[in-house]
Amino acid sequence: MSETSLPDELSEPLEKAIRLEYWNIFWTLTVIVVMGLVLGQSQTMKTAWVEDTLGLVPPVMFLIAAHLERSASRSHRFPFAFERVNGLGFFVAAVALTAVGALLLYNALVALASTEHATVGSIVISGQDIWLGWLMVAAQLYSLIPPFFIGRKELPLAEELNDKLLHTDALMNKANWLTGAAGLAGVIGLGLGWWWADALAAAIISVDVINDGFKALRSSTAELVDGFPRALSSAALSDDAEQVRQKLLAEFPGAAIRLRETGRLIRAEVHDTHAPQSCRHPRHYWPGRKERAWRLAQVSFIPPVKARDEGA
């Protein structure tokens, strides 16, 4: 492993992910501008616009984390460099998604409870009166295109890098059709005179935001409190980590195995047993594909207390 917190095998895929995230930010900004120009009084459009703006949080946090991972060397003050900075970015993004999603849902429910009647007016373009709702529909359709293609490109990179922040961003982008469908339904409902359709669509979008944020919050919190490594796409326990635990138990029966995750990496502690006579690299204990062995960064052995006392 290099002097930074990033395994050498990940340099190339991380470069690809960084370039993709810059494009992600660019296209997201175009969506934000287009949506912002046709907001009107629609609660749906405002909620969709806020969600699109929130879409900047994961790629920005990813770029900050990637910069620190690549440039920050190990030091006396930071002996593990910034292995966990990606997990911290994941936590920040999760908190932002959950909090703003809850606020948006509150606003939508208030609008429903107060029977607020939003209206969609007209604008004049080249001397012609055009219903603003058509422009809203066009903006919603455009907002679906960039995230769909970017999300499809992010997923394989997220899996290769074992990057939960990038993976969450990819799933949000791929599932953005729900936001677009709800937004289209809300605008069309207003055009048909269904006042409640706008606020209801906004509430559906808000619930989707909260769902994304809550799942990310569960997984990111588990890492920060040294929980057992979690899966890439959910708060379920990681299959890779469970296989590592089983292999260590098979080789050191009776030992207590403790695993935790520091960013992309897994660290293992084997308690109540002596280290093997021959020195082995941690990757020796990786049970899966060898190209993924970089994930197991450390295997430490803690002998039984009695044996330690006798040796002293």
Side-chain angles (χ1 to χ4, degrees):
M1 187 179 296
S2 62
E3 285 304 309
T4 66
S5 58
L6 183 70
D8 296 331
E9 296 93 329
L10 300 187
S11 297
E12 184 177 347
L14 187 61
E15 286 287 347
K16 292 180 181 178
I18 289 171
R19 288 194 297 269
L20 183 60
E21 288 303 79
Y22 275 118
W23 279 110
N24 187 11
I25 291 173
F26 169 76
W27 287 112
T28 301
L29 287 173
T30 67
V31 170
I32 291 170
V33 171
V34 169
M35 295 283 285
L37 291 174
V38 295
L39 281 180
Q41 297 181 11
S42 169
Q43 186 73 28
T44 300
M45 292 297 293
K46 292 176 182 177
T47 305
W49 181 83
V50 171
E51 190 196 30
D52 290 330
T53 304
L54 275 176
L56 290 172
V57 175
V60 168
M61 295 306 301
F62 173 83
L63 290 175
I64 293 173
H67 172 73
L68 289 173
E69 280 186 298
R70 292 193 305 166
S71 62
S73 299
R74 306 184 192 282
S75 65
H76 179 65
R77 297 187 66 182
F78 295 96
F80 294 95
F82 288 94
E83 289 180 0
R84 276 185 162 172
V85 69
N86 183 270
L88 179 61
F90 186 38
F91 178 77
V92 171
V95 170
L97 284 173
T98 307
V100 177
L103 179 61
L104 293 175
L105 180 60
Y106 171 78
N107 290 336
L109 293 178
V110 168
L112 279 172
S114 61
T115 64
E116 182 179 315
H117 289 59
T119 58
V120 178
S122 300
I123 61 172
V124 179
I125 299 179
S126 300
Q128 299 290 325
D129 282 340
I130 298 178
W131 183 52
L132 189 59
W134 295 123
L135 298 181
M136 291 179 178
V137 168
Q140 287 281 8
L141 290 173
Y142 171 71
S143 72
L144 301 180
I145 298 172
F148 178 78
F149 289 102
I150 290 173
R152 288 173 64 90
K153 289 182 176 293
E154 285 176 325
L155 274 178
L157 286 171
E159 292 170 0
E160 188 173 357
L161 292 165
N162 199 71
D163 195 302
K164 293 187 176 72
L165 181 54
L166 188 62
H167 193 270
T168 299
D169 189 28
L171 293 182
M172 286 175 59
N173 281 328
K174 281 197 68 178
N176 212 38
W177 62 268
L178 177 60
T179 301
L184 290 172
V187 173
I188 293 172
L190 280 179
L192 294 174
W194 302 338
W195 65 267
W196 46 266
D198 185 52
L200 180 61
I204 292 173
I205 296 172
S206 304
V207 170
D208 184 50
V209 174
I210 293 172
N211 182 53
D212 287 335
F214 184 68
K215 287 191 296 185
L217 194 59
R218 287 180 62 193
S219 185
S220 60
T221 302
E223 178 184 336
L224 292 178
V225 297
D226 283 340
F228 193 89
R230 295 312 198 255
L232 188 62
S233 58
S234 70
L237 301 184
S238 166
D239 289 337
D240 285 347
E242 180 60 29
Q243 290 174 19
V244 170
R245 191 180 76 87
Q246 293 296 336
K247 181 166 183 176
L248 289 171
L249 278 175
E251 190 155 346
F252 306 100
I257 311 298
R258 299 177 187 174
L259 301 181
R260 61 189 175 96
E261 199 167 30
T262 56
R264 313 173 196 281
L265 308 176
I266 294 174
R267 296 184 178 276
E269 292 182 0
V270 184
H271 289 254
D272 299 325
T273 192
H274 295 278
Q277 295 295 323
S278 58
C279 183
R280 296 170 177 173
H281 194 278
R283 297 188 184 197
H284 166 81
Y285 300 101
W286 183 256
R289 294 175 298 159
K290 294 302 180 184
E291 61 269 24
R292 299 280 292 171
W294 57 264
R295 285 207 68 204
L296 189 56
Q298 178 182 351
V299 178
S300 302
F301 293 89
I302 295 87
V305 174
K306 289 184 178 179
R308 191 168 62 233
D309 291 341
E310 290 172 0

